[in-house]
Amino acid sequence: RVARRADRRRKSPHRTTTTTATTTSMSGLLRRGAGALKRVARRADDAATYAKLTQPLTRHEAYSEVVAYNRSTVPIAGKFPNVFHNTFIAPDAVVAGDVEWDIGGSLLYGSVVRGDKNSVSIGCWTHVKEGCVISTVKTLDTGFPAKMTIGNYCFVGSNCTLTSCDIGHRVTIEDGVTICEGAVVEEGAVIKAGSVVPPGRLIKAQEVWSGCPAEKEGMRAEFDIKVECEKAKTYTQFIEDAHADEFLPHGTAYWQMEAILGSKA
């Protein structure tokens, strides 16, 4: 306001030359002073912002992000996973690429199903526990298809690694098992914890295998198809009850939020 008054006085025809020169110099000084104050304020804001960004986050701030950028299902090379709506995928688990997963299954925390080099097919009521990696290779030495297949009503224990193998229906794979590419596990078989199944190995129906490398230990004492099916469905119901608040709908609403945040930046 003072600068504008000085300009009006300078332009007034009733002012003398000395007064005009004085007011002109005052106007310039005031404008330069206002500019300097703005620069100081901007630098202070930048310094405060930098100090805030470099400070460690408190526990509340670390978990107050509005948008979660991790995705449980992601495409690879234009191939999108197709997961049935009531199959539970844990928030930090990932299903990526060419993957088909039928009704009623679950993929628990830290596990990855990756259909990048070949397709992955997982049947209904099949459960994969924590820390597992299910992947594929491009080709097999035997010439058979290198896709990864797991049948219905199967249980895959924690920290297992399965690569381009064929798992039949109602198979139980205990914790820490590694099944290499090209292996075939027929219906009702059991692989004990910590076993390593070599490439191309055939495990016949209802056999029990263990060891590293895995060898036949015997046959299952009891195998009731109805009991195995009910066990898998009961586990599905347990997962739905225990993790009901984590069954979030799949959508693209987060794109709008990202656009809003980007426009405010």
Side-chain angles (χ1 to χ4, degrees):
R1 288 197 300 269
V2 174
R4 286 197 293 269
R5 286 181 186 175
D7 287 341
R8 286 197 295 270
R9 289 177 181 176
R10 179 172 56 83
K11 294 178 183 179
S12 175
H14 303 291
R15 299 292 176 182
T16 61
T17 304
T18 305
T19 305
T20 303
T22 303
T23 54
T24 302
S25 60
M26 287 180 61
S27 175
L29 288 172
L30 290 171
R31 290 181 184 279
R32 287 195 293 272
L37 288 174
K38 288 181 179 179
R39 288 192 294 274
V40 170
R42 192 180 302 115
R43 289 175 182 173
D45 291 340
D46 293 342
T49 302
Y50 177 78
K52 184 176 181 180
L53 291 176
T54 53
Q55 288 178 354
L57 295 176
T58 64
R59 184 174 181 181
H60 173 71
E61 291 173 338
Y63 297 98
S64 61
E65 180 63 52
V66 177
V67 179
Y69 291 94
N70 61 303
R71 301 286 170 258
S72 294
T73 55
V74 294
I76 295 180
K79 295 180 179 179
F80 288 79
N82 183 15
V83 180
F84 205 83
H85 69 87
N86 73 336
T87 293
F88 172 71
I89 307 297
D92 62 345
V94 177
V95 179
D98 188 5
V99 179
E100 294 278 343
W101 199 321
D102 212 332
I103 184 173
S106 64
L107 182 69
L108 297 188
Y109 301 90
S111 295
V112 176
V113 179
R114 190 174 67 247
D116 50 356
K117 298 176 183 177
N118 252 301
S119 63
V120 178
S121 176
I122 302 176
C124 61
W125 314 105
T126 289
H127 304 280
V128 180
K129 295 187 178 179
E130 295 86 350
C132 294
V133 176
I134 299 174
S135 60
T136 57
V137 296
K138 192 169 184 179
T139 58
L140 294 177
D141 295 337
T142 58
F144 288 101
K147 64 181 181 179
M148 175 75 217
T149 304
I150 303 178
N152 304 328
Y153 306 103
C154 294
F155 283 92
V156 180
S158 303
N159 301 313
C160 291
T161 301
L162 281 62
T163 306
S164 287
C165 52
D166 188 355
I167 310 298
H169 303 311
R170 290 170 281 275
V171 170
T172 299
I173 301 172
E174 297 183 358
D175 297 343
V177 171
T178 299
I179 303 180
C180 298
E181 57 273 13
V184 178
V185 183
E186 294 183 350
E187 180 177 1
V190 176
I191 304 176
K192 292 292 189 69
S195 301
V196 177
V197 180
R201 189 62 54 92
L202 171 62
I203 299 177
K204 294 185 178 180
Q206 302 182 33
E207 291 183 346
V208 179
W209 284 55
S210 64
C212 179
E215 295 180 354
K216 182 180 177 181
E217 184 179 289
M219 300 292 293
R220 293 186 66 167
E222 297 179 359
F223 180 70
D224 190 330
I225 292 179
K226 291 184 178 180
V227 171
E228 295 298 318
C229 295
E230 287 301 321
K231 184 170 68 172
K233 291 182 178 180
T234 301
Y235 191 81
T236 298
Q237 188 61 48
F238 164 74
I239 290 292
E240 290 179 355
D241 294 341
H243 303 277
D245 57 340
E246 298 175 30
F247 276 89
L248 300 178
H250 297 283
T252 57
Y254 67 93
W255 290 350
Q256 301 174 8
M257 179 61 72
E258 289 175 351
I260 293 172
L261 294 177
S263 64
K264 291 182 178 180

